[in-house]
Amino acid sequence: MSAININFPNGKVNQEYSIELKSVAEQFGIAELNFEGLEDLGLQYDEDEQQITGVPSLAGDHQIVMKYQLKDKQDGQPEFLSKEITLIINPDPKELWKKSIPTPENIAYYKPDSNKEFVKVETKITKKMLGLKQTKEARKDLVAASQRGRSHAIEGKPRDDDFALFFDEASEWYVMTVADGAGSAKYSRKGSEIACQTVIEVCKEQIAAKRAILEKAIRVLSKEQTQENRNAVGKTLYEIVGGAAFKAYKNIDAEVSKRAGENEQEAVAIKDYSTTLLIAICKKFDFGWFIGGFWVGDGGMGIYRKEPEYLKILGEPDGGEYAGQTRFLTMSEIMQAEEIYRRVRFDIVPDFTALILMTDGITDPKFETDANLNRIEKWHQLWRDLEGENEDRLKVDFTDDNEQAADQLLQWLDFWSKGNHDDRTIAILF
Amino acid sequence: MRRLPVYILIQTSGAMRGEPIEAIKVGLETMMASLRQDPFALESVWLSVTTFNRKPEQILPLTELENMQLPAIALPEAAGSHLGEALEFVCKKIDSEVQLSTPERKGDWMPLLFVMCDGRASDTLLFNKVIPVVKGKHFGKIVVCLVGNKVRTELVKLFANEVVNLETTDSATFRKFFEWVTVVVAEGNRSVGATSDISLPPPPPEINSII
């Protein structure tokens, strides 16, 4: 009697499973066939069709017994022979991911598991012609949301991402920043927080001090696009956003010393606070919008216009050969003048639909590759997705002054994407 | 999808005969069953199993955890432990199977390598030649598990980040070891970033750690 060698492919909970046994029966000369242990798993064997079908309901390595009768049954053999077969049923990852443990509030540098903000910039009314005529101008608003990833939630670990927004009513400059603390660094949640807070602080102060020079340089550049004029804008922008990044590094470094001083037993280093950083500052002029940015690490930052189509990515994501490799603000090689300058970008555009800053928790599932970040179709898709074209029909309403957008955006962040469960943070100027 | 490639290299001669190889098989099965309970591993782990004595043989090509079934591990009569050749073989597999980042494709996570052997290499010349190649492969982690009572530590220390010694080869010790390996694998894909090394949880006390 030849040994019956048979393997069942693995199944998955809540997913249709079927295996046909006609060919097996023929191959091994089996006259009759039956199974024990299938029903418990949510499967049935159909004798007429000679196949197992059903939707498995129980995950695990299951032993099922195949009872069979050979066509050329030898004398003295039992009526039915039996063989144990292992049937592996995988759990549904969606179910496994449902577990969510709140972050204990007593940990060092506790931060809430999610955050959201809306900065309403109201319609501006300008009086003209000695006050006889007035013009109304709707102004763009800022919205941001940040959600702890499922990979952290399942272990009760804190959110490492952060963001901050700011609008200066006096000068009409907008500042937005997002940061992604490294998953492997124990205090990166504080690193990202310090980075974001510092960016707002420094940009606020530097814009107040340097806006006259910067705005003049921008006006000059808008009239004549020469390298010299570009350099003039670049220089002041470098002082503002580059200065903010540098101060963020310094402030993180100071926190490391403080922590080390307070906890002598604990070894802390700046790499424990590793974080990426994306900064954008912008303002509307009569000739259009000026947008300046600084970017270190992964994620994405771009100026997107739906119609007429326009896309400008304000930098390049820092990636390595392998997944998860990137660069951080906290690396000493980044804090070199040339390296900082290289990461400063700007653009002048007539108008745009959205200026978007995101951490890799969003870019990985929505753009997948670095090349896709430069494809406008992917941005169109993201924008439609944000406007409700998604599985859960979750919609962010981007009408002017809609303060609900923050809540809507936070809900939208909960989207499902296989294998992508990192912290997600997005900031939008629209 | 980003994959976490996990390479398992098992010596099938000498020290492995008898109880150890049975315990390894049970250990691997238990490990896979627990990894399937971890959603991160379930969505990202890909496993490859290679056995070696005089010749290496990939008995399971890099396969998604979800679809994989552990093949039978045969124990041939052949003596000899060509560890150098086996490592070279795994490095070549990595070159052809592990995806690096390109603008058009996301790279895999850094691969992990687990080696179970007695620490001897009968192909010394090739072994010495292959060490720099292994070092240049950017493994997330290389863990060597020494099995048997006449193990050698000097050679494996040359390429492993962690060497553990299973002095007793009973199934309980193996179970502990594989529980630990499961944690290392499950941890593997969420800790890369700030440092080049992934953080490794300390091995359980039952296992005698050398490095």
Side-chain angles (χ1 to χ4, degrees), chain A residues 8 90 184 321 368 375 421, chain B residues 36 66 69 101 106 191:
Chain A
F8 283 6
N90 288 301
S184 54
E321 279 186 317
E368 289 146 24
R375 297 197 172 109
H421 309 288
Chain B
R36 277 191 225 105
E66 196 175 286
Q69 294 180 351
S101 283
K106 276 274 180 221
S191 316

Side-chain angles (χ1 to χ4, degrees), chain B residues 71-188:
Chain B
I73 300 172
L75 271 192
E77 288 306 308
S81 167
H82 290 190
L83 181 58
E85 198 179 332
L87 288 171
E88 188 184 43
F89 180 83
V90 168
C91 286
K92 280 186 185 151
K93 286 288 166 201
I94 282 169
D95 288 340
S96 64
E97 292 173 339
V98 175
Q99 172 71 37
L100 298 179
S101 283
T102 69
E104 297 291 344
R105 201 177 152 176
K106 276 274 180 221
D108 291 332
W109 298 100
M110 281 189 247
L112 303 177
L113 173 63
F114 295 94
V115 186
M116 315 204 67
C117 63
D118 60 7
R120 288 158 196 275
S122 9
D123 55 348
T124 326
L125 217 63
L126 181 60
F127 177 83
N128 289 331
K129 232 176 73 185
V130 88
I131 291 305
V133 182
V134 176
K135 290 256 176 203
K137 276 287 165 273
H138 298 291
F139 282 99
K141 206 86 203 171
I142 303 178
V143 176
V144 173
C145 168
L146 292 173
V147 182
N149 43 20
K150 287 180 283 181
V151 299
R152 285 187 64 182
T153 56
E154 320 85 78
L155 294 181
V156 293
K157 271 183 179 175
L158 295 173
F159 66 90
N161 307 88
E162 183 103 14
V163 180
V164 296
N165 188 1
L166 302 189
E167 277 161 350
T168 49
T169 53
D170 58 294
S171 53
T173 312
F174 270 98
R175 200 182 63 236
K176 283 280 172 212
F177 172 71
F178 278 105
E179 275 170 15
W180 173 66
V181 170
T182 308
V183 175
V184 175
V185 172
E187 191 68 25

Side-chain angles (χ1 to χ4, degrees), chain B residues 1 26 29 44 147 181 188:
Chain B
M1 264 310 296
V26 173
E29 268 165 3
S44 57
V147 182
V181 170

Side-chain angles (χ1 to χ4, degrees), chain A residues 6 21 84 88 101 159 193 201 248 312 334 346 421 426:
Chain A
I6 170 170
L21 292 145
E84 275 213 346
I88 299 171
I101 305 167
R159 172 171 61 103
E193 185 188 311
E201 210 175 281
K312 164 98 172 192
I334 302 295
F346 62 85
H421 309 288
I426 186 166

